[in-house]
Amino acid sequence: MKLISSPASPYVRKVRVLIHEAGLGDEVTELPVKTTPMDTAADVAAANPLGKIPALIRDEGPAIYDSRVICRYLDAHAQAGLYPESRLWEVLTLEATADGILDSAIGIVYEKRFRPENMQSEDWMEAQWAKIERSLDALGKMWMSHLSGPLDMGQVAVGCALGYLDFRHDARQWRKGRGALDDWFAAFAQRPSMKATAPTD
């Protein structure tokens, strides 16, 4: 299998962490690409008509895409148990929350990077950050016991989302007033899979 990837993408990082945790390193080869929303790389467009990464090229079928789809596929392939049936809906909700954080965080980056300065909307960017703030507060208030439990994909997704906030939005200081979440992430970030997949430009 081949993973179309980028070292800066937090969605790709979710898949890469799962590959590490599931012991699939010998079965998945990474194909790093340079692609942007304004200039989609040909390899990306061929694998995913939406022009987004990650995409997973399989030997036995068409490429699959969207990090949640790829993670479910690889988890089932490896029987890694990162989507346990006993708490599946909680895991999926946590993963959706983390991906929502990423959607807003990346939206802010794209607004600054790809729109002319005179067309950028500060109000829109602040509205995106407000979504992130609400999600972080919800994690701290409702999900700490789950985050502190046995490893699952919800935890991986949250860890990758918080790592991206550090990577691209450190000045926003997401940790302020969120000591429990900060402590959890400090410990989770020490996992070998997280260290091995730290984002780079």
Side-chain angles (χ1 to χ4, degrees), residues 3-4 9-19 48 50 52-56 64-75 83 92 95-96 98-100 102-103 106 153 156-157 160:
L3 179 69
I4 299 177
S9 168
Y11 301 109
V12 171
R13 189 183 189 190
K14 286 171 53 186
V15 179
R16 295 175 71 212
V17 170
L18 184 150
I19 288 169
N48 179 357
L50 297 171
K52 297 180 178 182
I53 54 175
L56 185 72
I64 60 175
Y65 44 86
D66 187 279
S67 63
R68 279 179 275 190
V69 174
I70 296 170
C71 287
R72 287 295 296 271
Y73 173 81
L74 291 176
D75 180 72
Y83 291 94
L92 293 176
E95 188 176 10
D99 282 4
L102 291 177
D103 291 345
I106 291 173
M153 200 60 210
V156 171
C160 291

Side-chain angles (χ1 to χ4, degrees), residues 183-200:
D183 290 344
W184 173 83
F185 179 60
F188 193 81
Q190 296 305 307
R191 296 185 72 88
S193 62
M194 291 291 287
K195 288 184 173 183
T197 59
T200 59

Side-chain angles (χ1 to χ4, degrees), residues 173-185:
Q173 299 182 336
W174 68 263
R175 290 171 170 80
K176 188 174 182 180
R178 302 185 179 95
L181 190 59
D182 181 12
D183 290 344
W184 173 83
F185 179 60

